[in-house]
Amino acid sequence: MATQRIVLGEWMPDQPGVSGALSDAKNCVSQAIGYGPFPNSVDFSGSASEDLTTLYAGKQPNANTLLFAAGRTKIFSVSSVGALTDVSKSGGYSTASTERFRFTQFGDNIIAANNSEKLQSWVLGTSTAWADLSASAPVAKYVTVVRDFVVAANVYSGGVQNQYKVQWSALNDETNWVASTTTQSDSQDIPDGGQIMGIRGGEFGLILMERGIHRMSYVGTPFIFQFDNISRGKGCMASGSIAQYQGLTFFLSDDGFYVCDGQQVAPIGAEKIDRWFLKDASEADYGSMSTAIDPVRRLIIWNYKSVDGTRKMLAYNVSTKKWTYTDTTTDSISDASTASVTLEQLDSLSSSIDGLGTSLDSILFVGGKYFLGGTSGAKVVTFTGENMNARIQTGDIETGGQSLVTLARPQVDGGSATVAVASRRLLSENVTFGTAVAASADNRVSLRGSGKYHRLEVNPTGANWKSAVAVDVDITPQGVR
């Protein structure tokens, strides 16, 4: 009898099981060593008067944050205890079913675009309702901030949608959009690369198009911005797939996921999860994709609709450069933040501590902290619930001949696990797992699987498990008649 330690390495479904890569890593997150738990979503707000499509958190220096939730016709403010208040401009909005609000912040001014009305404005500390940014502000799909300019993209020009146009405000004046060499407000058409799918800002701007990426760099008058094509032929397939984290922009292209640092474009999912994702995701529903940053776990997360009709979230760990995925009931995800919650306000959330669904230690109850949130139907949700039921499957374990798996010992810090085995004689046979068996008090799982190739499924258990690192397995060689 030989005991092997099977380290829970990298999930790479694009690779064969005999490569040693994990064959599944579901409802968990990658860590430097092993995998950790991912929390369930829990309702944070009551029901709005319409389904919600996105969240946005604005923040003043040394002040509380203000959280907004937007639907198709209304924008709501979300209080620290989840109360929703309609703060839309008079008359509401007429956002198309294929569009959603997109937000950015310029100083104390939060600016929103929905490709239907003029850019909207909320001034932190003074506004009580959203309003048009200004008479000269454009109607646009996308909006961001590049240096000291507010920049809109895919805008209306002469009453017609110009999918190739980028337009920016006056220097340090987000309300002035009249072209002028004095104020430096102007616009630029980008005719090559298809329509603009999104834009991200910072020290420079990135314009992501269907078949290319352009960088916009400030050069001053008379040209104001210089536009350089840094990726010809490689662009963005879904506007909702774009996320920016620490100067890096992540997005989905026609053949998988990429990252751009403003100079070059590099793949992050090639030969790992790209083929798996493109087969699993419903291309007809790319328009419903959303992306968010989990700042605590350093994850880039994509919410998408699968071909089976369910929604899933694909997570990329920026630190480990490894992937996992989860099931989800949320329609969209967003970065979010709330103000602190007092003990008296907790009473309006739940009549008991046990009924909160979220630990009192959560950053959800600490003012000014950003966290991962989302929407589900007409409600705002947060990912602060109990651990999801994780599933980690090894690749094929092979000893060179027929063998028998008899015992497993899961190595789970802070918890335990159930283990199941799938054994087969040939790689051409289907992988079928037997009944999962819970570890005993001394962490032993009795199994019986006979074959040449074996896979183990580890399901960590326990409310406070921290990491699943490996599984030790006893394998006995068998003779062949």
Side-chain angles (χ1 to χ4, degrees):
M1 179 184 298
T3 299
Q4 290 189 30
R5 167 156 291 189
I6 310 302
V7 176
L8 301 179
E10 187 170 2
W11 175 56
M12 293 190 290
D14 288 357
Q15 298 302 313
V18 291
S19 67
L22 294 185
S23 57
D24 201 13
K26 181 180 179 181
N27 296 340
C28 54
V29 296
S30 165
Q31 297 178 337
I33 300 175
Y35 292 81
F38 191 84
N40 273 296
S41 62
V42 293
D43 291 344
F44 176 69
S45 76
S47 294
S49 55
E50 64 180 10
D51 284 349
L52 303 173
T53 59
T54 191
L55 302 175
Y56 186 80
K59 184 177 182 180
Q60 289 177 297
N62 303 316
N64 285 332
T65 58
L66 186 58
L67 181 64
F68 294 99
R72 303 293 182 195
T73 67
K74 298 176 183 177
I75 301 177
F76 302 87
S77 65
V78 186
S79 76
S80 58
V81 293
L84 296 167
T85 303
D86 185 356
V87 289
S88 310
K89 78 168 186 177
S90 178
Y93 304 99
S94 55
T95 310
S97 60
T98 55
E99 300 291 345
R100 71 186 71 164
F101 272 97
R102 294 175 172 88
F103 297 84
T104 193
Q105 184 170 343
F106 187 76
D108 288 340
N109 201 337
I110 302 175
I111 300 169
N114 71 339
N115 203 37
S116 180
E117 280 80 21
K118 288 182 179 294
L119 294 180
Q120 295 295 291
S121 168
W122 179 284
V123 180
L124 292 167
T126 61
S127 290
T128 57
W130 286 82
D132 289 352
L133 178 62
S134 68
S136 61
V139 176
K141 271 192 177 186
Y142 313 113
V143 65
T144 191
V145 174
V146 179
R147 290 178 61 108
D148 300 318
F149 300 84
V150 176
V151 181
N154 204 320
V155 304
Y156 274 86
S157 180
V160 178
Q161 184 94 46
N162 188 334
Q163 300 175 333
Y164 322 110
K165 186 174 183 176
V166 177
Q167 185 176 353
W168 55 91
S169 70
L171 178 68
N172 278 319
D173 184 358
E174 69 275 24
T175 65
N176 186 351
W177 293 78
V178 178
S180 166
T181 55
T182 302
T183 66
Q184 302 189 44
S185 178
D186 206 347
S187 64
Q188 175 73 44
D189 284 357
I190 305 176
D192 62 320
Q195 70 166 306
I196 297 173
M197 301 298 293
I199 184 170
R200 289 296 183 271
E203 184 65 19
F204 55 85
L206 275 186
I207 301 103
L208 294 98
M209 310 184 77
E210 290 176 301
R211 298 182 301 278
I213 299 175
H214 286 72
R215 182 182 64 241
M216 58 182 298
S217 306
Y218 181 71
V219 294
T221 55
F223 301 108
I224 317 303
F225 282 101
Q226 174 178 306
F227 291 79
D228 298 299
N229 188 312
I230 61 173
S231 174
R232 189 174 299 277
K234 180 62 62 184
C236 177
M237 286 288 291
S239 59
S241 72
I242 304 171
Q244 191 175 56
Y245 181 67
Q246 294 187 346
L248 300 174
T249 300
F250 301 82
F251 63 96
L252 173 67
S253 190
D254 54 358
D255 61 347
F257 291 93
Y258 287 80
V259 63
C260 179
D261 61 2
Q263 302 292 330
Q264 58 186 359
V265 175
I268 58 173
E271 296 303 313
K272 293 186 177 183
I273 55 86
D274 281 345
R275 291 193 296 274
W276 177 90
F277 171 82
L278 294 172
K279 182 179 180 180
D280 187 62
S282 170
E283 186 173 355
D285 294 290
Y286 276 1
S288 70
M289 286 186 71
S290 56
T291 312
I293 309 299
D294 183 336
V296 176
R297 301 171 186 85
R298 294 173 61 83
L299 302 175
I300 315 297
I301 303 178
W302 289 268
N303 180 304
Y304 69 96
K305 189 172 184 179
S306 177
V307 290
D308 64 8
T310 64
R311 298 201 73 86
K312 296 178 182 178
M313 298 195 305
L314 184 64
Y316 176 71
N317 189 312
V318 177
S319 298
T320 67
K321 296 180 171 52
K322 297 177 183 178
W323 298 82
T324 54
Y325 75 103
T326 69
D327 293 326
T328 187
T329 58
T330 60
D331 303 312
S332 71
I333 53 176
S334 302
D335 310 335
S337 180
T338 61
S340 58
V341 181
T342 66
L343 291 176
E344 291 76 15
Q345 289 171 323
L346 286 174
D347 291 337
S348 63
L349 287 175
S350 175
S351 58
S352 69
I353 292 178
D354 292 337
L356 282 172
T358 299
S359 169
L360 290 175
D361 295 330
S362 170
I363 60 172
L364 178 63
F365 302 123
V366 180
K369 298 294 184 182
Y370 289 98
F371 61 89
L372 178 65
T375 66
S376 180
K379 292 184 176 182
V380 175
V381 301
T382 62
F383 291 88
T384 53
E386 296 180 351
N387 294 340
M388 299 184 74
N389 296 322
R391 183 177 73 196
I392 306 170
Q393 294 176 355
T394 68
D396 291 298
I397 306 165
E398 195 257 339
T399 61
Q402 190 80 2
S403 59
L404 179 68
V405 172
T406 59
L407 189 69
R409 303 174 189 83
Q411 305 301 312
V412 179
D413 185 19
S416 186
T418 64
V419 182
V421 63
S423 300
R424 53 187 174 155
R425 187 172 59 88
L426 300 172
L427 290 175
S428 57
E429 296 175 353
N430 292 331
V431 177
T432 304
F433 284 92
T435 302
V437 179
S440 65
D442 55 355
N443 197 37
R444 295 166 62 89
V445 180
S446 296
L447 301 170
R448 188 170 184 84
S450 177
K452 188 175 181 181
Y453 303 96
H454 311 278
R455 293 187 185 186
L456 297 174
E457 178 178 294
V458 179
N459 307 109
T461 59
N464 299 311
W465 74 276
K466 298 178 182 179
S467 60
V469 177
V471 56
D472 294 338
V473 57
D474 289 354
I475 304 179
T476 303
Q478 286 184 311
V480 179
R481 292 182 181 179

